[in-house]
Amino acid sequence: MQAGPERSPAAPGPHWFRDGTGIEAKVKRNFLHALAAVLAGNAIYFVLLMPRLPLWAQHGIGKLDPGLGLDFLLCGAIFLLLRRWDRTRKATVYRPR
């Protein structure tokens, strides 16, 4: 049998992912922020912005165009706003004395 870190069947995955530093929660939170940013950014772009943009600025399927860049910037901005909101929310959490 090979020597190495013990793995519990209740906690699958690499041992460094559950090392007690809270990295698993950070990865989950980051994933949820990214998912929310992409969903919200795409909804805003495709429902609200794209119908009002000129044809040259609209995103075409499978193309690298200004519309794709605008969508990317919108999703990135929403992601950064979500991260900043989460950090300020954690910094202002009530802590009893």
Side-chain angles (χ1 to χ4, degrees):
M1 189 161 196
Q2 191 176 20
E6 291 294 320
R7 291 181 59 153
S8 152
H15 64 89
W16 54 265
F17 201 66
R18 300 177 318 277
D19 63 356
T21 61
I23 196 164
E24 185 176 22
K26 291 176 187 175
V27 170
K28 285 180 185 177
R29 189 178 310 116
N30 191 43
F31 173 76
L32 290 176
H33 287 164
L35 179 65
V38 168
L39 292 176
N42 284 336
I44 290 169
Y45 177 77
F46 286 105
V47 174
L48 299 176
L49 291 179
M50 195 167 112
R52 292 168 179 80
L53 290 174
L55 193 56
W56 64 268
Q58 293 182 4
H59 177 52
I61 297 175
K63 294 182 185 176
L64 186 60
D65 52 20
L68 181 64
L70 180 60
D71 185 33
F72 176 78
L73 289 174
L74 185 61
C75 292
I78 292 172
F79 177 74
L80 292 175
L81 287 172
L82 285 173
R83 284 188 48 181
R84 176 172 283 191
W85 171 76
D86 190 42
R87 287 183 181 172
T88 57
R89 184 179 58 89
K90 283 193 294 186
T92 58
V93 170
Y94 172 72
R95 294 188 181 115
R97 295 179 193 194

